[in-house]
Amino acid sequence: MAGARALLRHCPLLLPQNRHGTAYEGFVTAQGRDFHIRILLPVDLQLKDARIECSWRLKKILHGYRHILKQRLHSCPDLVSFMVELKTVLEIALKNTQDLHIPRPPEYYSCLVRDLEILGWNRVAYVDTGLTTVKLKAEDSCGRQHLITLKLNAKYPTEPPDCLVDFPVPFAVSWMPQNSLIDIYNQFLAALESLKEFWDVLDEIDGKTWVLEPENPTRSATTRRIAIGNNVSVNVEVDPRHPNMLPECYFLGADHEVNPLRTKLNNNMHLWDPEISLLQNLRELLEIDFPSRAVLEKSDFAKDCGICYAYRLDGSTPDHVCDDPRCGQPFHQACLYEWLQGLPTSRQSFNVIFGECPYCNK
C-alpha cells in the first residue's frame, strides 16, 4: 500500500491495470510534457525482467539512453525508484535534445577543441559531427578498458557536461567554470581506482566459475548467479563500496539441495575473512568447490527448461526446480506459471500457485 502511494505521488498519471500490480499504463511527465508509457512486470515483480512500451516520440528521445535504463532496471529495488530514475534520465535527454537546436557560439568550439588537444586525442574514442557528444577512454591499473560519455550543452564550459558511465555507483562531477575536460577525466580515473577491488572480485568470479546470469555482465552489474551443481546455484549481490564483505546470497534449486547450503552459510558466517577473496570465502563457508571452467562445460549443469526445452527465454534462465530428489527438473518461472495456470487441479494462494510437476507429476 505504501508503495502504491509513493508511486501515485511521483507519477500520478501512471495507474495499475490489474490487481496483481503487474501492469501499469499512463503518462510520465518531464519538463511540463506528458509521454505515454506502459510497464509490464513478471508475476514475481522483478524489475530486471520488466517490459517497457512507450510512444514513438518517447522512444526517440530516450534512444541514446537505453543502456542506462536497462542498468537502472537491474539495480532499482522497486518500481517507484525506477520511475524516479526514468524521470531524471528523461529530463537530461529532453535538455540535450533542446540543446541540439541552440546555436553555439564560436567560443564553445574553440574551448572544446583546446580542451581535447590538452587532454590528448589518443584518449578520445568518439566525437559526433556536431561536437556535442564526446566519448573518452581510459584504462584502470588492472588493464580494464572503460568509457565515459560527455553530453555538452551550449553553455560549456560555464556549465559542466552530463557524464554517463558504466558504474555500479553514482558518478558526480565536481565542476567550476574554469575547469576543463581534463578535470573530469582525472575524476573519472580516480573513480575507476575506487572501484578496483569491486571489479577484481567480480572478474575472479567470472573467470573461475560458471556464471549463469547475467550472460554478458556490464561493469555496473553487482549480481552474479553462480552454478554450484545440477540445477543448483547461488545469486550473489556484491556491495561496490565493500566488495570483500559478506554479500547477500540467495540460493536457487530444490529444497533438499539448497537447505544444507543455507545452513552451512548461517553456521559459518562468523568465519568470513575480509582479508581473502570473496570467492575463496564462499568456498570455505559453504564447504564446496564451484564447477571449474577449466574442467567442466556449461552444458554439464545448465539444463534446459522442461516445458519450452530452451535454456534462455527472454534473457532469463530456468530458476525453478522440482523439489522431488528423483526429478529435479528446472523450469523458467514464466513457463511454469503458464503451465500451472492451465491445470484444473492447481490452486493459488495470494501470488503463489501450487500444482503438479509437468515432468514427474509430483
Side-chain angles (χ1 to χ4, degrees):
M1 186 66 72
R5 285 199 298 267
L7 185 63
L8 186 63
R9 186 170 66 252
H10 288 287
C11 301
L13 301 180
L14 186 67
L15 301 175
Q17 301 298 298
N18 58 28
R19 61 188 181 88
H20 302 296
T22 58
Y24 291 83
E25 188 166 6
F27 298 88
V28 57
T29 304
Q31 294 195 5
R33 297 166 63 184
D34 296 330
F35 300 91
H36 181 258
I37 190 170
R38 188 165 181 249
I39 300 174
L40 302 174
L41 299 170
V43 290
D44 62 358
L45 304 181
Q46 291 293 311
L47 280 180
K48 64 184 179 68
D49 298 320
R51 192 166 85 245
I52 298 177
E53 300 172 356
C54 54
S55 63
W56 67 268
R57 181 174 280 105
L58 181 56
K59 191 177 294 186
K60 184 177 180 182
I61 293 170
L62 294 175
H63 177 74
Y65 299 82
R66 285 179 300 176
H67 69 289
I68 298 174
L69 293 176
K70 194 171 182 181
Q71 169 192 328
R72 295 297 185 262
L73 276 173
H74 278 74
S75 61
C76 287
D78 51 48
L79 184 58
V80 177
S81 302
F82 172 71
M83 290 307 298
V84 172
E85 296 272 8
L86 174 62
K87 290 179 73 171
T88 302
V89 172
L90 183 54
E91 292 277 356
I92 294 171
L94 285 170
K95 188 175 75 169
N96 288 334
T97 303
Q98 292 165 1
D99 284 345
L100 292 177
H101 306 291
I102 299 175
R104 307 197 174 206
E107 294 79 12
Y108 168 89
Y109 297 102
S110 60
C111 182
L112 178 59
V113 172
R114 184 200 66 217
D115 284 357
L116 291 173
E117 287 179 345
I118 295 172
L119 183 65
W121 289 99
N122 60 316
R123 293 172 173 171
V124 179
Y126 168 83
V127 180
D128 71 336
T129 54
L131 294 182
T132 59
T133 300
V134 177
K135 292 185 179 181
L136 305 177
K137 57 186 176 181
E139 188 175 281
D140 63 27
S141 57
C142 291
R144 289 178 285 249
Q145 300 293 323
H146 303 271
L147 285 176
I148 179 171
T149 301
L150 309 176
K151 301 275 187 179
L152 296 103
N153 62 49
K155 294 182 180 179
Y156 177 83
T158 305
E159 292 183 3
D162 292 316
C163 302
L164 309 176
V165 293
D166 190 12
F167 284 1
V169 294
F171 176 63
V173 172
S174 175
W175 183 265
M176 299 287 285
Q178 64 270 26
N179 286 152
S180 66
L181 294 187
I182 193 71
D183 296 294
I184 290 180
Y185 192 78
N186 287 334
Q187 292 177 53
F188 179 53
L189 292 177
L192 292 180
E193 287 311 299
S194 72
L195 291 165
K196 175 187 176 299
E197 286 189 5
F198 169 74
W199 286 320
D200 286 346
V201 165
L202 292 182
D203 281 355
E204 183 184 20
I205 291 173
D206 293 339
K208 294 184 178 179
T209 72
W210 280 110
V211 174
L212 303 179
E213 292 181 286
E215 191 171 23
N216 297 301
T218 61
R219 286 295 176 195
S220 59
T222 59
T223 62
R224 295 293 190 273
R225 182 180 163 203
I226 310 170
I228 295 177
N230 282 337
N231 308 325
V232 183
S233 58
V234 59
N235 199 72
V236 176
E237 175 86 31
V238 182
D239 184 345
R241 298 299 189 193
H242 308 284
N244 286 317
M245 300 305 292
L246 177 65
E248 288 188 34
C249 297
Y250 175 68
F251 294 96
L252 297 104
D255 286 345
H256 69 277
E257 294 277 5
V258 302
N259 283 342
L261 293 171
R262 289 195 190 102
T263 301
K264 286 179 181 177
L265 181 64
N266 290 331
N267 290 345
N268 297 333
M269 202 177 291
H270 65 284
L271 300 175
W272 188 273
D273 182 0
E275 297 302 316
I276 63 176
S277 75
L278 182 146
L279 186 59
Q280 184 60 33
N281 269 305
L282 286 178
R283 288 195 190 103
E284 294 183 6
L285 266 63
L286 298 176
E287 300 172 9
I288 60 169
D289 280 323
F290 292 99
S292 168
R293 298 178 71 93
V295 178
L296 296 173
E297 295 296 323
K298 197 171 186 176
S299 56
D300 291 332
F301 47 80
K303 305 298 182 185
D304 294 341
C305 171
I307 296 174
C308 72
Y309 301 107
Y311 183 63
R312 290 206 171 269
L313 178 69
D314 295 332
S316 64
T317 59
D319 59 0
H320 279 55
V321 179
C322 176
D323 278 334
D324 192 299
R326 292 167 296 179
C327 176
Q329 176 64 40
F331 306 96
H332 294 116
Q333 177 171 292
C335 295
L336 192 58
Y337 185 76
E338 189 174 341
W339 173 279
L340 293 176
Q341 271 198 319
L343 290 180
T345 55
S346 67
R347 59 187 178 84
Q348 187 159 350
S349 175
F350 297 100
N351 63 337
V352 180
I353 190 166
F354 301 87
E356 296 173 353
C357 171
Y359 223 69
C360 69
N361 295 326
K362 295 292 184 183

